[in-house]
């Protein structure tokens, strides 16, 4: 069974480092990027299941990045981090194809939980695709 | 600043002066016009009526005098026709005739018979005139010529003012004349007996201006020349009126008329003051009215200007206050924006602290699992306690930043179809906790299938939350521990409107405040507790939903806020 691979996109370097450490401690593979552009770059070479994406970033902001990811890599699920307490940005993000959102300052456990949910959705999709391509049906197998 | 204040003061005074001037001058114009015009017409009418009445009096008086003289002449003719010269020449007959005449009128004082040569043949009266010759007397010649004659007043042989009436009978040598003397006193009394007002009087002048009767007010006696006669304007009209001053400078209104068959002029005069006294009354009344009017107008103008000015000053102050409030509101909005910016910025470090804490906590876990540290150790416990403190404080901070962001967010409204049956219970959930802590029972009566309205969800939430929080505050004031009650109802008012009612049994709103509850910056809360913006913002939001907001309240009894919203036309709505 495939392991979940995360990508963290944040402009705060220290946050990236620390969160990456925490995720590694939980045996989660993680790639970090400090900007939207870098994230898109890394996606070319890394097979990532779920992207944790900050909305407020200098340069290419979260929404733009999200749209680009969804266009270039449709199967990749995105969870974004928002500082806004209003529903507006959340709704906008979800309408742009994000899986879910987490309110800042985010709790690592929240992120992980939601990431797994997204990963499972991705898995099910992959199963379906595989089933369709191989012509044989297989039960969805969840490895958690 | 001082200079500006001074300038404003000067300007204000000028405005005040202008207002006052207009307020006084404008009403005075119609006042003067009304009084002036009515005075003019009234006095013209009065003058006419005064003159007219004088004319009438003169006419009546003339007719009376004329008829008197005519009667006396007829009396004389009558007795002359009863007798002939011979019979009168007999002794005593003249006395009998005189008796007859005296019965006819008391004005006769004697009677005489003359032959054609002017000899006074017979006489009945108090004077000794028998035997006197009158051949050269003017009256004698006149009567011989004309057959009858009324003389002017003259002195004659008796040296007493009198006038005579004479008639001639027969012709040539056989002509004889009967002559009667009229008592001047009697005639005088009759003529001057007319009474007009206080100063009215009548007298007679001949065509040379010699008085035939005396003037009651004096100045002209019988047989004296009246000084003013020469200055009488000539006229062709039977009755002529004019104004003239006498030598003392008193103005008189005169009416004159000539007596028929005689060169006598009847003069009636009255002091102008007296004749036109009603005219003067009218003048005084008008003056009093004008004076009163001016006094009232000036007084009222001063009063009104003062009032207006106070109001203007108040408005000026209000304007300043509003300006200040606007500045405050702008500042508040800016502060909100800034706070939102801060919150955003602080969120990032908080995020980092949070993740650092998580890392430390997991490292600790690892260390104690690997027996590198003793979890029971005092110092380790203390460290762990500190760590959990950090976690606690970070979550406190994040609560604050979230609250700030919620408050200071940009108002990007998204109008959508909202159902009270869905929205209100959800919003009520937010305050349930608080209400139960305060011992308030919450009741809701909202049909689930109630029609929707168009609005922004978060704005509607803001309105309802504001009302609920106000209600809870009011209930806390009235029922500090228990017994509070909050009712929320929603129903279809008619086919166009949805009504939402939020009722509490709290402290209520004072009647003098109820008008102001929706005004911005109005708050009864202590300084720093309320901005006074809540309800005004709510009012604005409901208005933006094309609805209305109203309130009824009774002190110590409770308050009901009523929101009326237009029912959404669901048939054409795309959900």
């Amino acid at each position: 069974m495939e392991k979940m691979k995360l990508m963290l996109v944040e402009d705060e370097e220290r946050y990236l480092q620390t969160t990456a450490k925490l995720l590694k401690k939980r045996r989660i593979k993680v790639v970090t990027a400090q900007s939207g552009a870098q994230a898109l770059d890394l996606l070319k070479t890394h097979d990532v299941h779920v992207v944790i994406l900050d909305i407020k970033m200098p340069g290419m902001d979260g929404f733009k990045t999200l749209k680009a990811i969804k266009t270039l890599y449709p199967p990749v699920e995105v969870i974004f981090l928002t500082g806004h307490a209003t529903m507006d940005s959340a709704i906008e993000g979800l309408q742009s194809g994000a899986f879910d959102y987490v309110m800042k300052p985010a709790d690592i456990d929240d992120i992980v939980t939601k990431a797994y949910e997204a990963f499972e959705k991705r898995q099910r999709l992959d199963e379906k695709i595989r089933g369709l391509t191989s012509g044989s049906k297989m039960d969805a197998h969840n490895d958690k | 600043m001082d200079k500006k204040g001074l300038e404003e003061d000067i300007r204000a005074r000028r405005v005040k002066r202008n207002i006052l001037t207009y307020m006084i001058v404008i009403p005075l114009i119609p006042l003067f016009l009304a009084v002036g015009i009515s005075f003019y017409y009234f006095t013209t009418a009065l003058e006419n009526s005064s003159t007219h009445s004088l004319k009438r009096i003169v006419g009546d008086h003339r007719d009376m005098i004329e008829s008197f003289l005519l009667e006396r002449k007829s009396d004389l003719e009558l007795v002359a026709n009863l007798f002939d010269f011979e019979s009168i020449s007999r002794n005593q007959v003249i006395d009998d005739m005189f008796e007859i005449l005296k019965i006819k009128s008391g004005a006769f004082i004697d009677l005489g018979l003359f032959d054609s040569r002017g000899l006074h043949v017979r006489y009945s009266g108090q004077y000794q005139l028998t035997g006197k010759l009158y051949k050269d007397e003017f009256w004698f010649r006149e009567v011989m010529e004309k057959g009858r004659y009324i003389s002017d007043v003259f002195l004659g042989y008796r040296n007493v003012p009198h006038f005579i009436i004479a008639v001639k009978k027969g012709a040539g040598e056989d002509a004889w004349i009967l002559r009667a003397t009229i008592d001047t006193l009697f005639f005088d009394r009759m003529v001057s007996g007319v009474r007009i007002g206080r100063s009215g009087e009548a007298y007679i002048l001949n065509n040379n201006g010699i008085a035939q009767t005396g003037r009651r007010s004096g100045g002209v006696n019988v047989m004296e020349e009246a000084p003013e006669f020469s200055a009488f304007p000539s006229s062709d009209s039977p009755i002529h009126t004019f104004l003239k001053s006498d030598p003392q400078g008193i103005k008189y209104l005169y009416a004159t008329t000539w007596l028929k068959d005689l060169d006598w002029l009847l003069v009636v005069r009255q002091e102008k003051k007296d004749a036109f006294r009603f005219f003067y009354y009218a003048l005084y009344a008008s003056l009093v009215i004008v004076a009163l009017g001016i006094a009232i107008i000036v007084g009222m103008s001063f009063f009104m200007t003062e009032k207006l000015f106070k109001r203007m000053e108040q408005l000026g102050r209000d304007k300043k206050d509003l300006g200040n409030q606007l500045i405050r509101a702008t500042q508040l909005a800016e502060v909100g924006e800034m706070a939102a910016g801060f919150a955003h910025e602080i969120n990032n470090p908080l995020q980092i602290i949070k993740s650092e804490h998580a890392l430390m906590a997991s490292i600790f876990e690892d260390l104690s699992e690997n027996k590198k540290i003793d979890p029971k150790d005092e110092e380790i416990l203390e460290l762990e306690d500190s760590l959990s403190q950090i976690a606690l404080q970070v979550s406190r901070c994040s609560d604050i930043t979230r609250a700030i962001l919620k408050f200071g967010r940009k108002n990007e409204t998204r109008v959508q179809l909202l159902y009270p049956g869905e929205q209100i219970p959800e919003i009520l959930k937010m305050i349930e906790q608080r209400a139960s802590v305060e011992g308030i029972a919450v009741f809701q009566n909202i049909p689930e299938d109630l029609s929707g309205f168009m609005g922004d969800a978060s704005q509607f939430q803001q309105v309802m939350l504001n009302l609920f929080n106000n209600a809870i505050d009011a209930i806390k004031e009235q029922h500090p521990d228990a017994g509070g009650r909050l009712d929320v109802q929603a129903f279809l008012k008619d086919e166009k409107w949805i009504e939402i009612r939020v009722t509490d049994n709290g402290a209520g709103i004072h009647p003098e405040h109820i008008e102001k509850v929706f005004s911005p910056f109005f708050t009864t809360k202590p300084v720093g507790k309320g901005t006074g913006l809540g309800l005004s913002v709510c009012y604005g939001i409901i208005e933006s939903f094309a609805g209305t907001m109203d309130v009824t309240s009774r002190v110590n009894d409770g308050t009901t806020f009523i929101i009326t919203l237009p029912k959404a036309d669901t048939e054409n709505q795309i959900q």
Side-chain angles (χ1 to χ4, degrees):
Chain A
M1 188 65 239
E2 221 181 341
K3 273 269 168 117
M4 177 169 68
K5 246 186 165 173
L6 279 183
M7 182 188 275
L8 260 179
V9 189
E10 246 283 5
D11 52 330
E12 293 274 356
E13 201 188 340
R14 178 72 200 196
Y15 180 74
L16 278 183
Q17 288 171 7
T18 314
T19 314
K21 278 181 198 164
L22 280 166
L23 292 169
K24 279 173 187 150
K25 274 183 169 292
R26 294 171 194 232
R27 310 274 188 283
I28 298 167
K29 286 186 180 168
V30 63
V31 187
T32 60
Q34 268 194 287
S35 70
Q38 199 190 351
L40 289 173
D41 236 20
L42 287 168
L43 279 170
K44 285 179 194 165
T45 50
H46 292 75
D47 185 16
V48 173
H49 302 116
V50 180
V51 176
I52 312 293
L53 178 62
D54 185 18
I55 283 194
K56 261 190 85 168
M57 288 188 297
M60 203 174 173
D61 76 356
F63 290 126
K64 283 200 183 108
T65 315
L66 169 65
K67 278 175 189 142
I69 292 171
K70 276 288 164 190
T71 331
L72 298 169
Y73 314 99
V76 176
E77 292 296 348
V78 179
I79 292 165
F80 59 90
L81 296 170
T82 175
H84 273 282
T86 62
M87 302 308 291
D88 300 357
S89 58
I91 289 164
E92 198 177 334
L94 294 174
Q95 279 172 339
S96 307
F99 174 77
D100 205 344
Y101 67 94
V102 179
M103 204 82 89
K104 271 185 171 186
D107 197 78
I108 189 75
D109 292 333
D110 278 356
I111 294 173
V112 171
T113 313
K114 290 204 166 154
Y116 269 117
E117 282 173 15
F119 178 61
E120 272 169 35
K121 182 187 167 200
R122 166 78 188 265
Q123 293 287 85
R124 278 201 298 280
L125 198 71
D126 283 355
E127 293 279 332
K128 265 191 190 150
I129 291 166
R130 262 203 298 276
L132 285 169
T133 48
S134 67
S136 64
K137 269 196 175 178
M138 278 177 78
D139 282 332
H141 186 79
N142 295 344
D143 187 336
K144 214 177 165 184
Chain B
M1 194 68 218
D2 242 4
K3 199 176 162 201
K4 201 176 155 202
L6 197 73
E7 269 173 24
E8 271 197 4
D9 211 40
I10 289 165
R11 212 183 45 163
R13 249 179 301 186
R14 195 172 41 231
V15 169
K16 199 171 181 171
R17 212 179 30 239
N18 287 350
I19 290 173
L20 198 60
T21 311
Y22 286 129
M23 279 184 104
I24 291 171
V25 170
I26 307 264
L28 279 184
I29 294 167
L31 175 79
F32 281 137
L33 277 176
V35 172
I37 290 169
S38 50
F39 178 74
Y40 171 77
Y41 282 109
F42 185 60
T43 52
T44 310
L46 265 178
E47 232 174 283
N48 286 343
S49 80
S50 299
T51 314
H52 189 79
S53 73
L54 204 65
K55 270 185 172 174
R56 206 190 55 242
I57 288 164
V58 148
D60 292 352
H61 211 50
R62 177 196 60 203
D63 296 345
M64 191 190 82
I65 293 163
E66 276 176 349
S67 65
F68 168 83
L69 291 171
L70 188 69
E71 276 169 22
R72 299 298 75 77
K73 218 157 50 179
S74 310
D75 293 342
L76 208 58
E77 298 242 352
L78 177 73
V79 291
N81 290 336
L82 283 175
F83 302 89
D84 56 14
F85 186 74
E86 274 74 38
S87 54
I88 304 169
S89 303
R90 279 189 225 125
N91 247 348
Q92 294 304 323
V93 174
I94 190 98
D95 289 334
D96 295 343
M97 288 170 81
F98 185 48
E99 286 306 315
I100 295 167
L101 278 183
K102 275 211 284 205
I103 290 161
K104 284 276 181 190
S105 166
F108 292 109
I109 46 172
D110 61 10
L111 182 68
L113 175 72
F114 300 77
D115 65 12
S116 58
R117 283 158 306 139
L119 184 69
H120 205 157
V121 183
R122 285 275 179 265
Y123 173 77
S124 173
Q126 54 195 18
Y127 300 102
Q128 289 306 317
L129 301 171
T130 317
K132 289 196 188 303
L133 201 59
Y134 287 82
K135 185 162 61 78
D136 299 328
E137 291 289 324
F138 177 75
W139 69 263
F140 183 77
R141 290 208 306 272
E142 284 281 312
V143 77
M144 286 301 283
E145 195 181 318
K146 290 178 181 160
R148 59 176 63 125
Y149 176 68
I150 297 177
S151 76
D152 282 353
V153 176
F154 65 105
L155 292 170
Y157 288 114
R158 63 190 76 176
N159 222 354
V160 170
H162 64 290
F163 71 94
I164 52 149
I165 299 175
V167 292
K168 182 181 91 161
K169 290 279 156 195
E173 291 288 304
D174 298 333
W176 51 276
I177 290 163
L178 206 51
R179 185 192 83 162
T181 308
I182 299 294
D183 180 1
T184 324
L185 265 175
F186 184 96
F187 185 66
D188 209 13
R189 267 204 303 274
M190 187 182 77
V191 172
S192 62
V194 68
R195 282 242 165 224
I196 314 145
R198 181 181 53 77
S199 60
E201 55 193 352
Y203 53 99
I204 294 174
L205 304 174
N206 72 3
N207 58 1
N208 296 319
I210 308 295
Q212 303 302 299
T213 65
R215 199 162 68 186
R216 202 172 61 229
S217 64
V220 179
N221 293 321
V222 179
M223 308 218 27
E224 283 178 3
E225 194 174 338
E228 70 266 38
F229 175 74
S230 53
F232 279 4
S234 61
S235 93
D236 305 328
S237 62
I239 297 173
H240 182 54
T241 57
F242 52 93
L243 279 168
K244 247 189 74 60
S245 302
D246 76 345
Q248 284 89 45
I250 301 169
K251 271 209 154 118
Y252 282 92
L253 176 65
Y254 283 88
T256 59
T257 180
W258 291 97
L259 296 178
K260 211 164 49 195
D261 312 329
L262 276 173
D263 288 336
W264 281 4
L265 182 73
L266 174 64
V267 181
V268 172
R269 70 170 203 174
Q270 193 180 3
E271 273 181 36
K272 187 185 168 199
K273 253 197 342 225
D274 187 24
F276 293 155
R277 65 188 179 282
F278 291 111
F279 165 93
Y280 291 106
Y281 294 159
L283 177 68
Y284 297 144
S286 304
L287 285 175
V288 166
I289 290 167
V290 168
L292 272 176
I294 290 171
I296 288 169
I297 287 167
V298 169
M300 279 305 285
S301 301
F302 269 100
F303 175 72
M304 290 299 289
T305 309
E306 210 48 53
K307 223 173 141 165
L308 199 72
F309 231 71
K310 281 216 170 71
R311 184 92 192 89
M312 267 166 71
E313 279 176 344
Q314 181 60 47
L315 281 175
R317 276 200 297 274
D318 286 357
K319 203 178 94 182
K320 256 192 193 137
D321 286 354
L322 266 178
N324 292 339
Q325 282 175 357
L326 195 68
I327 290 165
R328 263 174 58 200
T330 320
Q331 281 174 340
L332 223 106
E334 278 172 4
V335 166
E337 294 267 321
M338 265 166 64
F342 291 156
H344 258 299
E345 291 309 313
I346 287 164
N347 257 345
N348 284 336
L350 279 179
Q351 178 100 308
I352 295 168
I353 294 169
K354 212 167 175 164
S355 62
E356 298 296 328
H357 165 265
L359 184 62
M360 281 173 88
S362 98
I363 289 169
F364 255 94
E365 237 172 79
D366 292 351
L367 287 174
S368 44
E369 261 177 39
N370 304 337
K371 300 282 185 287
K372 284 185 179 169
I373 53 168
D374 179 8
K376 299 279 186 294
D377 186 85
E378 279 284 320
E379 282 163 325
I380 298 299
L381 282 174
E382 230 171 289
L383 271 176
E384 282 193 330
D385 186 42
S386 280
L387 265 185
S388 65
Q389 251 323 297
I390 289 170
L392 189 70
Q393 299 309 327
V394 168
S395 75
R396 255 182 83 182
C397 286
S398 70
D399 283 349
I400 293 168
T401 57
R402 276 178 197 183
I404 290 171
L405 285 169
K406 198 166 193 151
F407 177 80
R409 70 166 196 273
K410 286 249 182 359
N411 279 337
E412 295 163 6
T413 55
R414 282 165 20 90
V415 174
Q416 61 192 89
L417 185 59
L418 301 174
Y419 292 95
E422 284 174 17
Q423 295 285 331
I424 299 173
E426 221 170 88
I427 301 163
L428 273 170
K429 275 198 195 98
M430 300 185 188
I431 56 122
E432 252 171 21
Q433 186 59 30
R434 195 178 157 212
S436 70
V437 167
E438 305 288 358
I440 298 166
V442 180
F443 297 89
Q444 48 176 315
N445 179 10
I446 303 153
E448 265 178 47
D449 59 347
L450 186 62
S451 318
F453 60 92
M454 298 306 290
D456 174 278
S458 66
Q459 284 189 339
F460 181 67
Q461 177 184 321
Q462 192 182 340
V463 172
M464 296 314 287
L465 272 180
N466 207 313
L467 292 186
F468 295 155
N469 285 324
N470 282 350
I472 290 170
D473 289 341
I475 294 168
K476 261 166 68 182
E477 209 176 311
Q478 191 69 13
H479 309 279
D481 303 317
R485 184 187 163 117
L486 174 63
D487 277 280
V488 187
Q489 291 172 283
F491 52 90
L492 210 55
K493 191 179 166 191
D494 52 41
E495 46 213 54
K496 277 193 173 169
W497 299 94
I498 297 162
E499 194 165 288
I500 300 166
R501 283 169 174 262
V502 179
T503 308
D504 65 62
N505 60 350
I509 302 165
H510 277 278
E512 63 262 30
H513 292 161
I514 203 121
E515 294 285 325
K516 301 185 204 152
V517 290
F518 296 117
S519 321
F521 304 106
F522 176 77
T523 181
T524 54
K525 287 177 179 158
V527 176
K529 279 279 177 197
T531 56
L533 286 168
L535 281 174
S536 69
V537 169
C538 291
Y539 193 86
I541 289 171
I542 295 299
E543 265 194 341
S544 76
F545 294 176
T548 59
M549 200 163 170
D550 204 359
V551 60
T552 59
S553 180
R554 281 172 53 188
V555 176
N556 300 334
D557 201 23
T559 304
T560 300
F561 276 92
I562 302 149
I563 295 173
T564 317
L565 290 162
K567 183 183 135 189
D569 186 1
T570 40
E571 283 164 30
N572 309 337
Q573 285 298 329
I574 303 150
Q575 284 189 43

